[in-house]
Amino acid sequence: MSLEGLSDEALLALVARGEEEALRWLFRRYAGAFLGLARRMGLDANAQEDVVQEAFVRVWKNARQFDPRRASARAWLLAVGHHTAVDFVRRLEARPKPLEPQGEEAEEAFDLPGDGLDEEGHLDRIRLQGALRHLDPEEQEVIQILYYQGHSHQEAARLLGIPLGTLKTRVRRALLRLKEVLREP
């Protein structure tokens, strides 16, 4: 029996019964989305792959918890992917890393050759860190909390003690400024 045409809900039901082929089909459908979530949280390629693997282990183990009356399969799967990526980022936070470049990296931060992308087409971390210095302290803080620490918008607003709308305005302003700075030669 081919599982290709089955809905995500049907595939999750089969996964809950231990059908590995159903998990393979879900992987084909959602691995890219999980990679994208991890990439947006600033994880490198290896960490992104770890997030995808960990997320699908969670899907395999917790498929029985899916309740189609509470959410669509897509929403449930994306929530698993998101929570896995956030947990991964939080575990990394236990091992602090400097946000500012050190030594030679600091000297190169503003005069990198090319368009600031590495061989995989990702923004160069050093160039991004340099661009972050162009933001107001409040904007730096929201970017740090959302994208480096992996908090949700609601969590970030609560941590900063500001209304959610204010947080979203700061994020929007910060991202627009980063876009401008990174486009500059």
Side-chain angles (χ1 to χ4, degrees), residues 68-138:
R69 296 171 299 198
R70 296 182 65 206
S72 68
R74 178 174 177 74
W76 187 85
L77 288 161
L78 292 175
V80 169
H82 174 77
H83 291 298
T84 303
V86 168
D87 290 347
F88 197 93
V89 168
R90 286 180 179 158
R91 282 195 306 270
L92 289 177
E93 283 296 306
R95 294 176 276 161
K97 297 176 193 160
L99 182 59
E100 299 296 323
Q102 305 293 319
E104 290 178 18
E105 289 179 344
E107 294 171 15
E108 300 171 1
F110 290 105
D111 50 31
L112 291 171
D115 60 3
L117 300 177
D118 65 16
E119 60 277 354
E120 296 176 1
H122 297 105
L123 276 175
D124 187 336
R125 182 177 176 178
I126 296 168
R127 184 153 184 215
L128 181 59
Q129 289 172 339
L132 285 170
R133 288 191 222 127
H134 287 82
L135 301 179
D136 295 336
E138 292 174 339

Side-chain angles (χ1 to χ4, degrees), residues 45 51 57 76 92 154 156 158 180:
V51 165
V57 167
W76 187 85
L92 289 177
Q154 291 84 3
R158 190 172 50 252
E180 288 172 20

